[in-house]
Amino acid sequence: MTSLSDIRSTFLNFYGRNGHQVLPSSPLVPRNDPTLMFANSGMVQFKNRFTGVETRDYNRATTAQKCVRAGGKHNDLDNVGYTARHHTFFEMLGNFSFGDYFKDDAIAFAWELLTRDFGLAKDKLLVTVYHTDDETAQIWKKVAGLTDDRIIRIPTDDNFWRMGPTGPCGPCTEIFYDHGDKIWGGPPGSAEEDGDRFIEIWNLVFMQNEQFEDGSMRPLDMQSIDTGMGLERIGALLQGKHDNYDTDLMRSLIEASAHATSTDADGPGKIHHRVIADHLRATSFLIADGVMPSNDGRGYVLRRIMRRAMRHAHQLGAADPLMHRLVPALVQEMGAAYPELGQARSLIEETLKNEEVRFRQTLDRGLRLLDDEVSRLGDGATLPGETAFKLYDTFGFPLDLTQDALREQGRTVDTDGFEVAMAAQKAKARAAWSGTGEAADATLWLDLAEEKGVTDFLGYDTLTAEGQV
Ligand code: ATP
Ligand code: MG
Ligand code: MG
Ligand code: MG
């Protein structure tokens, strides 16, 4: 069986052979980019190169980039455990041309790698193009011999990429694999496209224009290529699987979770194991890159992922903290490709353990309260926002954890009500402060609270009292 490690090397070697500089992944926390929470694609480390702000001595590069999509524009947290193809942490394989080759070669390289080196069946592949991009459709016909019915024209932003509101942009073409009609889902652009029958494996972006503030666009002097293919998705294909979680690497983590909890990997706890395996990777890689759990910003995203995983461990009946016990399995699987994991191993274990020990003090009681409240609700009724807020405020349940717990029962939270309760709490704290007569100090403190966000603001008197912070 071709392991994910082998596939990663085959990819990098293929592009290396074709004149690309093989470069390491950049850290998950982007340098010099406070607007971006985490690296979420391969192009992030090359942004300044694409805009021409920076020059380097090569104009082709290839990477396997660590990505996290658990917040902001790309948030796959809610997909994990439910779809065959999403992770919060994954590796994106990419090749980049900085003003060097363009559409023809980008497509020819991708097709050659997929169908020759990787040996995928041509008749299972289909592509999308931006609806006005005839040039790309023609190249697909010429290079791959695809017929019109396998070149789907998409008029939406799914096939038009933008670096931001202004700057480089352009159409993209995506390659999909058809897993056959035993699996639910329709081709891209159809009503059933969210199913898992047609799985998107590779996105090729053609940076050909620059977008200006007034909405106008002009062709770029330097036209560039940015591509991204999920290692776990191509891995599933090459291992004859439909589901990313059935690949060698993910399967080892799932089995470690099953073993540590003395439960069946494919039994009723199947979803829990999938989520745990995924969140183990996301949390460990984030900690290895210097993120620590906290009550705002990046640290709060980490904390949310950790606590979500910890609830799933609890559902499996884990008597002791679980997550830190799975770290050796992860280091075993990924430590060679990512030495930072082994280097940070004890920090990762300690951080996961401390968080789980603390969170377990309130998790049990919080879940009991949730059960009580749910048992009083009618069939399918939403959970009142006030209850979700109480779980957040008193028991340290991030809102998404409560939503995740309820989803298993087909229920949702009244999020508007949650916001109202949050605002009321804030107003109360504000009123209490304005009574001190220390107007200047109070304003300063409230400004700070505003700036830091309400989670930190509440942190002082509530979360600390519950041993949360
Ligand atoms: P999808 O439509 O399946 O959510 P996407 O269009 O959001 O994917 P892109 O932003 O185009 O994905 O990213 C490029 C490639 O990275 C995808 O074609 C896919 O192979 C991979 N990828 C994207 N998101 C994930 C994820 N959450 N987990 C694993 N691989 C992913
Ligand atoms: Mg997506
Ligand atoms: Mg997509
Ligand atoms: Mg895409």
Side-chain angles (χ1 to χ4, degrees), residues 69 74-76 79 85-86 200 233:
R69 293 191 172 184
H74 288 291
N75 186 355
D76 286 325
N79 287 323
R85 67 187 200 279
H86 289 104
E200 176 188 325
R233 291 192 190 180

Side-chain angles (χ1 to χ4, degrees), residues 253-266 273 316 322 326:
L253 302 179
I254 286 172
E255 275 162 12
S257 166
H259 180 74
T261 52
S262 308
T263 56
D264 180 357
D266 303 304
H273 291 303
L316 285 169
L322 173 70
L326 306 178

Side-chain angles (χ1 to χ4, degrees), residues 71-135:
K73 188 174 132 206
H74 288 291
N75 186 355
D76 286 325
L77 205 43
D78 289 333
N79 287 323
V80 172
Y82 291 94
T83 72
R85 67 187 200 279
H86 289 104
H87 305 280
T88 54
F89 171 93
F90 64 99
E91 290 178 77
M92 195 184 283
L93 303 168
N95 58 290
F96 310 92
S97 152
F98 311 106
D100 189 21
Y101 64 85
F102 202 47
K103 292 181 181 179
D104 288 282
D105 286 336
I107 290 175
F109 281 144
W111 190 253
E112 184 186 333
L113 178 64
L114 289 180
T115 59
R116 213 198 56 193
D117 298 58
F118 286 152
L120 291 183
K122 294 181 184 175
D123 61 353
K124 295 281 175 59
L125 295 167
L126 61 157
V127 303
T128 59
V129 298
Y130 191 56
H131 64 141
T132 55
D133 191 5
D134 294 322
E135 189 189 1

Side-chain angles (χ1 to χ4, degrees), residues 40-41 69 74 76 79-80 85-93 158 172 174-176 194 199-203 205 227-234 244 278:
N40 56 14
S41 73
R69 293 191 172 184
H74 288 291
D76 286 325
N79 287 323
V80 172
R85 67 187 200 279
H86 289 104
H87 305 280
T88 54
F89 171 93
F90 64 99
E91 290 178 77
M92 195 184 283
L93 303 168
D158 269 353
C172 63
E174 296 194 314
I175 305 172
F176 286 73
D194 281 339
I199 291 201
E200 176 188 325
I201 52 175
W202 205 343
N203 186 355
V205 176
T227 87
M229 168 158 68
L231 171 64
E232 300 78 0
R233 291 192 190 180
I234 183 69
N244 285 13
D278 174 84

Side-chain angles (χ1 to χ4, degrees), residues 4-25 42 45-46 60-66 91-96 101 109 113 117-118 202 227 229 231 234 336-338:
L4 292 204
S5 288
D6 295 339
I7 297 166
R8 189 191 300 114
S9 316
T10 304
F11 183 95
L12 296 174
N13 290 338
F14 174 86
Y15 282 100
R17 232 174 27 242
N18 284 292
H20 294 67
Q21 184 90 20
V22 181
L23 296 169
S25 171
Q45 67 166 312
F46 301 113
R60 299 180 176 196
T62 184
T63 59
Q65 172 68 46
K66 301 183 277 189
E91 290 178 77
M92 195 184 283
L93 303 168
N95 58 290
F96 310 92
Y101 64 85
F109 281 144
L113 178 64
D117 298 58
F118 286 152
W202 205 343
T227 87
M229 168 158 68
L231 171 64
I234 183 69
Y338 296 98

